[in-house]
Amino acid sequence: MAVTALSVADICAAAKRASRVLATLDSRTKNAALEAIAGALIARTADILEANAHDLEAAEASGLAQHLVDRLTLDEGRVDAIAAQVRDIAALQDVVGEVIGGHRLANGLDVRKVRVPLGVVAVVYEARPNVTIDAAALCLKSGNAIVLRGSSMAAHSNAALAGIAVETAESAGLPAGAISLVAGGGHQELAELATQTGVVDLIIPRGGEGLKAALKNVATIPVIYAASGNCHVYVDATADLDAAEAIILNAKVQKPSVCNAAEKLLVHAGVAEAFLPRALAALADAGVTLRGDARARASAGLAPIGEATEADWDTEFLALELAVGVVDSVQEAIDHINAHGSGHSEAIVTHDTDAARAFELGVDAACVYVNASTRFTDGAEYGMGAEIGNSTQKLHARGPIGMRELCTFKYLVEGSGQIRR
């Protein structure tokens, strides 16, 4: 396995060679390799958990933040889930070769727009060892070679997972260099990876703002940023309050350390006094620390709530913290979200179809929900098998980054001797 015993340039060159083979592989070969990887992960769970234990010991010694420890932690159930996602990806219809569109010109030329792999995809990520396998599986199924660079906090876990994937993939007939892991070279290594112009076709950072800033300063290859999630749930005047309470509890509490968790609750003034005391009490009982604007605090009843600062509205807490505000209309909610949100996932709870439509059209975000939790923003939940991250950009890919987002297209034009006059 390539683990920076070779230079980054050598690893990327090997990935480029592999990508040319991967682009031509049939679905059966790719699926067999993925099934073999899933089986190997289950068979070697003990090895994976032993490696992860070393990372968790180091995390505890360094005082790593709890939400990052949660992302880092593997157990038997999580390994099973990673393997299951690989099998889900194998079961998906192959997107390579998919005809996106086509037509016959007046001169008789047949034009088809066909989906093809990007080539070499680099994924740079922090804390989450599951990304090692999710990203590798998505890239292999979409005909791409992948260069992985995880963080030092998950070094042992990533090495174990990548090692299993590389060994198994090559045994199943995939080319050497299809999966590679670079590790240990610090910022210089990241800069070298991000400047492999003409070799690496795309780099995707999945991590905090520091990682994204580091890449923005050096990258010369295309970048899709898997963005942070300052997500909102807005409870409209006509909302079913039972449904609204269930949605905000799920969006905030189920897994607060992830980017699709709700960080803000906005409530229409017409239902604030009826909704906030019960919802905030339920959130507080679930361990959520609440901070609100003046009207939210006035409508909170006996629920414990502090004063929200200006900074709170722009903060992705990634913890059991929630900022709460009261607004006078759906348009005010839309304006607030567009001013403070990160463009990730936003939800409205309403029975008013006009309000729902205004929210869908007016909110500038990758994923917009009506009467559903923001926690559904996930490649697996969307039927993509898994995702590499969630893009809030507007060019090439937006929302969960799955197989189709790891492809580009080419035009195939067939004729019978036509020449242009």
Side-chain angles (χ1 to χ4, degrees), residues 231-233 247 250-251 260-262 345-347 369 372-377:
C231 306
H232 299 69
V233 172
I247 286 168
N250 177 261
N260 59 20
S345 301
E346 309 294 353
Y369 294 87
S373 170
T374 58
R375 286 283 290 117
F376 285 105
T377 301

Side-chain angles (χ1 to χ4, degrees), residues 22-23 25 30-31 33-34 37 89 94 96 117 133-146 165 169 174-175 177-179 403 406:
L22 287 166
L25 288 182
K30 293 185 289 187
N31 292 342
L34 292 176
I37 289 171
I89 292 166
D94 199 339
V96 178
I133 299 299
D134 289 351
L138 285 167
C139 283
L140 293 182
K141 182 64 181 271
S142 57
N144 295 288
I146 184 166
L174 299 194
I179 307 169
M403 286 194 295
L406 296 172

Side-chain angles (χ1 to χ4, degrees), residues 20 51 69 91 119 126 154 170 172 176 211 246 260 275 288 310 313 365:
R20 297 189 177 104
V69 172
E126 296 175 340
E170 291 184 10
L211 172 60
N260 59 20
F275 179 69
V288 179
E310 276 302 309
W313 303 113

Side-chain angles (χ1 to χ4, degrees), residues 33-310:
L34 292 176
E35 288 288 351
I37 289 171
L41 291 170
I42 298 299
R44 297 178 60 180
T45 296
D47 297 336
I48 295 167
L49 298 186
E50 181 180 355
N52 185 244
H54 290 298
D55 291 328
L56 292 175
E57 288 172 12
E60 183 177 350
S62 67
L64 189 68
Q66 188 55 47
H67 74 274
L68 293 175
V69 172
D70 178 62
R71 292 179 177 187
L72 176 61
T73 301
L74 294 176
D75 55 27
E76 188 171 328
R78 288 188 175 186
V79 176
D80 287 348
I82 294 169
Q85 285 200 310
V86 176
R87 290 197 167 102
D88 288 343
I89 292 166
L92 293 173
Q93 183 175 341
D94 199 339
V95 300
V96 178
E98 185 177 72
V99 177
I100 303 170
H103 54 278
R104 174 168 285 184
L105 301 178
N107 61 12
L109 288 176
D110 287 319
V111 180
R112 286 179 294 141
K113 185 178 182 181
V114 177
R115 206 178 303 280
V116 296
L118 284 166
V120 178
V121 177
V123 179
V124 184
Y125 53 106
E126 296 175 340
R128 293 180 182 270
N130 65 289
V131 175
T132 302
I133 299 299
D134 289 351
L138 285 167
C139 283
L140 293 182
K141 182 64 181 271
S142 57
N144 295 288
I146 184 166
V147 179
L148 296 155
R149 185 187 185 275
S151 66
S152 58
M153 70 180 74
H156 294 89
S157 305
N158 292 337
L161 290 164
I164 292 167
V166 170
E167 178 184 329
T168 308
E170 291 184 10
S171 296
L174 299 194
I179 307 169
S180 47
L181 176 70
V182 297
H187 290 294
Q188 181 57 40
E189 176 188 87
L190 178 62
E192 188 175 358
L193 182 59
T195 53
Q196 293 295 309
T197 304
V199 182
V200 176
D201 296 282
L202 174 69
I203 188 166
I204 303 172
R206 180 166 173 169
E209 296 304 314
L211 172 60
K212 296 169 196 171
L215 270 176
K216 285 179 181 178
N217 290 333
V218 298
T220 61
I221 61 177
V223 184
I224 295 178
Y225 293 98
S228 59
N230 188 21
C231 306
H232 299 69
V233 172
Y234 165 58
V235 179
D236 192 39
T238 63
D240 177 324
L241 299 189
D242 290 334
E245 182 178 334
I247 286 168
I248 186 57
L249 279 168
N250 177 261
K252 178 70 261 181
V253 174
Q254 188 203 34
K255 197 168 185 181
S257 65
V258 294
C259 59
N260 59 20
E263 306 288 22
K264 310 293 179 288
L265 170 63
L266 301 177
V267 180
H268 192 285
V271 292
E273 290 190 1
F275 179 69
L276 282 175
R278 57 182 283 190
L280 298 185
L283 287 160
D285 287 345
V288 179
T289 298
L290 301 163
R291 293 187 288 277
D293 64 14
R295 290 201 290 175
R297 298 197 306 276
S299 300
L302 299 177
I305 183 169
E307 182 177 356
T309 68
E310 276 302 309

